[in-house]
């Protein structure tokens, strides 16, 4: 769970004037009591009316509510346009999540801001390149990069040559109509970029640890040096 989500949940658990101990919060949120102590201290520091202390428990005064989300008109345009782009050109799970995020944001926006979101005239449409297989592959590669799991790619290059590659996925790049995965290729012992529409098959491999010289930041450093 992200820390922001955890702080939100702590506020929800403390609603209603109930005394809740750090141990109870830690058990519900699957963290240590020490983490709860730090989180509650930060919430109090930001103005949330929580009373209590470690070893006793915490209670929140009635009447407190989280402030509404406030976005500028330009920020609303950016959020709506970004979600529509992801819906058209992103992975299947990504697209569904972007749509759901917009629904949640609209539910808490003030009326005027919601009207602005409804009138954003920026649209995006998919193309044949965005097949269901490519969409699923985007989600799978993003998950593998996040969990640091090797991938076995069955790849066909521009000339039609076939090869099997064991790679460490580091990130995804979108080039307009084409997605590529930036990876450390264990066959070439170097960074490589693979087009997702040329991946003919893919399986999960073994976990990997970040190593100096093989990280995304190292790839960026090499690219900057070449320029």
């Amino acid at each position: 769970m992200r820390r922001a989500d955890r702080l939100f949940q702590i506020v929800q658990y403390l609603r209603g004037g109930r005394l809740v101990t750090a141990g109870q919060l830690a058990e519900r949120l699957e963290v240590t009591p020490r983490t709860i102590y730090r989180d509650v201290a930060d919430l109090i520091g930001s103005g949330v009316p929580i009373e209590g202390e470690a070893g006793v428990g915490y209670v929140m005064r009635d009447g407190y509510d989280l402030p509404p989300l406030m976005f500028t008109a330009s920020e609303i345009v950016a959020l709506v346009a970004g979600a529509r782009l992801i819906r058209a050109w992103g992975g299947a799970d990504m697209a569904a999540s972007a749509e759901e995020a917009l629904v949640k944001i609209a539910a808490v926006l003030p009326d005027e801001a919601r009207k602005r979101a409804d009138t954003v005239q920026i649209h995006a449409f998919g193309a044949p390149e965005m097949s269901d297989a490519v969409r699923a592959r985007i989600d799978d590669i993003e998950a593998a990069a996040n969990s640091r799991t090797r991938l076995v790619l069955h790849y066909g290059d521009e000339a039609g040559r076939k090869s099997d590659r064991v790679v460490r996925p580091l990130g995804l790049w979108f080039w307009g109509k084409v997605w590529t995965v930036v990876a450390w290729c264990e066959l070439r012992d170097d960074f490589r970029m693979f087009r997702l529409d040329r991946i003919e098959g893919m399986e999960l491999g073994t976990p990997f640890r970040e190593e100096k010289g093989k990280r995304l930041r190292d790839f960026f450093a090499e690219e900057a040096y070449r320029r």
Side-chain angles (χ1 to χ4, degrees):
M1 179 185 292
R2 297 178 307 166
R3 185 166 186 269
D5 294 332
R6 190 171 68 245
L7 294 176
F8 178 82
Q9 289 298 328
I10 289 173
V11 171
Q12 300 310 306
Y13 285 134
L14 292 176
R15 287 185 184 282
R18 301 184 304 274
L19 183 71
V20 183
T21 67
Q24 290 171 328
L25 290 170
E27 183 177 356
R28 291 175 182 177
L29 297 171
E30 299 182 346
V31 295
T32 65
R34 185 183 297 273
T35 298
I36 296 298
Y37 298 149
R38 287 197 302 264
D39 288 347
V40 170
D42 288 344
L43 286 168
I44 293 172
S46 66
V48 180
I50 297 173
E51 298 174 352
E53 58 183 281
V56 177
Y58 300 103
V59 64
M60 188 172 67
R61 292 195 300 272
D62 288 339
Y64 177 77
D65 204 350
L66 293 173
L69 285 174
M70 297 300 293
F71 297 106
T72 66
S74 296
E75 289 169 344
I76 290 171
V77 171
L79 286 169
V80 173
R84 289 174 180 173
L85 284 166
I86 288 296
R87 184 173 58 193
W89 293 96
D93 288 345
M94 246 183 245
S97 296
E99 190 73 26
E100 184 62 24
L102 275 181
V103 171
K104 289 180 178 178
I105 290 170
V108 296
L109 285 175
D111 289 342
E112 286 302 314
R114 189 180 303 114
K115 289 177 184 176
R116 182 66 185 98
D118 291 339
T119 58
V120 173
Q121 296 304 324
I122 298 175
H123 304 277
F125 302 95
E129 291 87 349
M130 293 305 300
S131 65
D132 290 342
V134 170
R135 287 184 182 277
R137 206 162 285 147
I138 292 169
D139 292 328
D140 291 343
I141 292 175
E142 190 280 328
N146 185 57
S147 64
R148 296 194 184 120
T149 302
R150 289 180 176 86
L151 293 172
V152 180
L153 304 183
H154 309 294
Y155 194 72
D157 66 14
E158 187 176 8
R161 294 183 292 265
K162 313 289 186 182
S163 64
D164 294 335
R165 307 290 187 98
V166 178
V167 304
R168 302 180 182 190
L170 304 176
L172 285 158
W173 285 14
F174 182 55
W175 299 86
K177 284 192 174 183
V178 174
W179 283 87
T180 60
V181 53
V182 180
W184 178 265
C185 178
E186 298 192 346
L187 175 65
R188 303 302 183 195
D189 198 32
D190 201 356
F191 294 108
R192 289 290 188 272
M193 299 181 74
F194 300 94
R195 284 180 51 155
L196 269 61
D197 58 342
R198 292 178 181 164
I199 297 174
E200 299 176 356
M202 183 177 77
E203 294 93 38
L204 289 176
T206 58
F208 66 89
R209 292 184 178 180
E210 281 195 338
E211 293 182 51
K212 188 176 181 180
K214 301 179 181 181
R215 302 164 300 185
L216 189 60
R217 72 187 72 170
D218 301 313
F219 172 79
F220 288 143
E222 281 192 15
E223 290 295 301
Y225 177 77
R226 289 172 185 165
R227 293 173 187 170

